[in-house]
Amino acid sequence: MDARGGIGGSLAGLDLRAEIDRLRKERNAVILAHYYQKPELQDIADFVGDSLDLSRKAAATDAEVIAFCGVRFMAETAKILSPDKTVVLPDMDAGCSLEDSCPPDQFAAFRAQHPNAIALTYINCSAAVKALSDVIVTSSSAEKILSQIPASQPIIFGPDRNLGGYLARKTGRDLILWPGVCIVHEAFSETELLKLRAQYPDAPIAAHPECPAVILDHADFVGSTSGILAYAKEMPGDTLIVATEPHIIHQMEKAFPDKTFIGAPGADGNCNCNICPYMALNTMEKLYVALRDLEPRIEIEEGLRLKAKKSLDAMLAMASASVGMGDLGPVKVTGD
Ligand code: 13P
Ligand code: SF4
């Protein structure tokens, strides 16, 4: 990975926490981390959050460098919103199955099949797909944003068919769905979840809306990662079954040490198959190298960035709006 000895050998013996701290100050860097990152990365970050929190933080920071412990579409979002900052991602291969499911040329063809529809698009997509979209949503902002779009407006929702299906069921809106899925949330097993529920009959189940409907149907609470964390505070009882990427349990155990959190199982009966393989590529060693070398760096061509920024700006405005349904008026379909 790196000309100066790569990850491993030459880093042996380094106090990585201290070195990352030193570089963070030297570089005037902020370290942002998603809840699905390894505990040590969450603990060293200046800020840990869900996709919306992280986008807001990236847009507002004064730092010169953003070291993004998350996946590529998140770091790209940071660069789109803060183009003058250097944005580094510890491992550039940290992608996302939802992004992979939605190549921009196929998405453009899909849009062309539905000329009257606007594209409401989940943030888990490439910059090119954001540029083809009207409004971006995250799992924590999707419902609020959808409520501001007139009921008569046809809507394409991609790339996550599970989140789209959940929104359609919850709001009664007829969404035209792109058929992508998150491989992590698809891996939960209904059979194993029911076995676990029989073992802990009083424990509620909290699930992320990227889970398929067969899992969501058993959930007492459905929400984004930050929503699930908030539910962990308010839930009845002291044991929670968590149907999302299990690294979020680290924050729960820190915040509520007297409660018990159990990761929902996959088909093999444990929650390790639900670790996101993309998020798992980031390590303390790679974060250190990224801060040291300011590489791998996110670069986005300016024309593409400006197009992608429109749909992200629409998200940030609509997610913060204190307006009722329809108050923002019809959302303009991207014309160019
Ligand atoms: P949120 O943190 O916004 O709920 O998103 C979950 C996710 O899958 C990120 O990749
Ligand atoms: Fe993508 Fe799923 Fe991993 Fe999130 S958990 S980054 S949606 S593959």
Side-chain angles (χ1 to χ4, degrees):
M1 165 166 193
D2 175 71
R4 284 181 253 180
I7 308 294
S10 68
L11 304 188
L14 272 187
D15 179 345
L16 285 172
R17 281 195 66 93
E19 285 299 303
I20 289 169
D21 258 338
R22 178 180 66 76
L23 286 167
R24 163 173 29 209
K25 288 183 196 107
E26 257 178 51
R27 300 285 194 206
N28 184 18
V30 65
I31 301 173
L32 305 183
H34 189 265
Y35 292 124
Y36 295 167
Q37 288 290 279
K38 293 177 172 71
E40 58 269 32
L41 290 171
Q42 294 188 38
D43 288 347
I44 204 155
D46 296 288
F47 182 79
V48 189
D50 74 2
S51 305
L52 181 64
D53 300 330
L54 291 166
S55 306
R56 285 177 165 148
K57 210 71 189 174
T61 180
D62 292 334
E64 286 169 68
V65 174
I66 299 174
F68 213 115
C69 297
V71 290
R72 199 174 46 239
F73 75 80
M74 296 178 174
E76 276 185 358
T77 298
K79 185 69 182 176
I80 291 165
L81 294 172
S82 287
D84 298 335
K85 303 193 189 311
T86 299
V87 179
V88 290
L89 178 65
D91 192 319
M92 202 51 95
D93 289 334
C96 171
S97 67
L98 283 167
E99 176 180 344
D100 293 346
S101 79
C102 194
D105 55 334
Q106 291 177 30
F107 188 70
F110 186 62
R111 283 218 67 169
Q113 284 167 19
H114 304 281
N116 297 324
I118 64 164
L120 197 65
T121 305
Y122 194 29
I123 197 165
N124 299 38
C125 64
S126 63
V129 168
K130 288 184 176 75
L132 290 164
S133 301
D134 296 293
V135 188
I136 300 301
V137 301
T138 64
S139 50
S140 59
S141 60
E143 232 180 294
K144 181 173 182 186
I145 289 174
L146 188 54
S147 77
Q148 294 168 54
I149 299 173
S152 57
Q153 170 66 59
I155 300 172
I156 283 173
F157 187 89
D160 187 3
R161 70 163 184 227
N162 288 334
L163 174 59
Y166 168 73
L167 289 169
R169 289 192 299 282
K170 180 128 194 243
T171 64
R173 299 287 291 254
D174 189 15
L175 304 177
I176 307 160
L177 300 181
W178 179 270
V181 292
C182 160
I183 51 167
V184 172
H185 290 85
E186 276 284 300
F188 290 116
S189 155
E190 184 185 17
T191 310
E192 294 301 321
L193 183 64
L194 291 176
K195 282 189 203 163
L196 194 63
R197 172 154 258 184
Q199 234 180 304
Y200 300 94
D202 297 328
I205 296 173
H208 196 280
E210 288 176 13
C211 291
V214 288
I215 300 295
L216 296 180
D217 284 348
H218 299 291
D220 300 280
F221 175 82
V222 177
S224 70
T225 49
S226 55
I228 293 175
L229 261 165
Y231 181 72
K233 184 178 181 191
E234 292 148 16
M235 68 182 190
D238 59 5
T239 303
L240 180 65
I241 297 173
V242 181
T244 192
E245 212 274 2
H247 284 114
I248 192 177
I249 291 175
H250 177 61
Q251 287 298 325
M252 294 174 171
E253 288 175 340
K254 273 172 72 172
F256 314 109
D258 298 333
K259 297 186 180 182
T260 303
F261 302 101
I262 306 167
D268 64 353
N270 74 57
C271 70
N272 289 339
C273 68
N274 305 107
I275 289 176
C276 174
Y278 308 101
M279 293 273 184
L281 289 173
N282 294 327
T283 61
M284 290 286 277
E285 287 82 358
K286 291 178 196 172
L287 173 60
Y288 163 74
V289 170
L291 282 167
R292 184 191 68 188
D293 299 351
L294 296 182
E295 294 285 351
R297 201 181 286 205
I298 302 282
E299 303 289 0
I300 300 175
E301 187 275 318
E302 185 62 5
L304 173 63
R305 185 189 75 79
L306 289 173
K307 281 188 185 157
K309 187 172 180 293
K310 275 191 195 170
S311 57
L312 277 167
D313 284 344
M315 170 187 83
L316 292 173
M318 293 173 88
S320 303
S322 55
V323 292
M325 195 164 159
D327 285 2
L328 286 184
V331 174
K332 194 179 165 297
V333 179
T334 305
D336 48 359

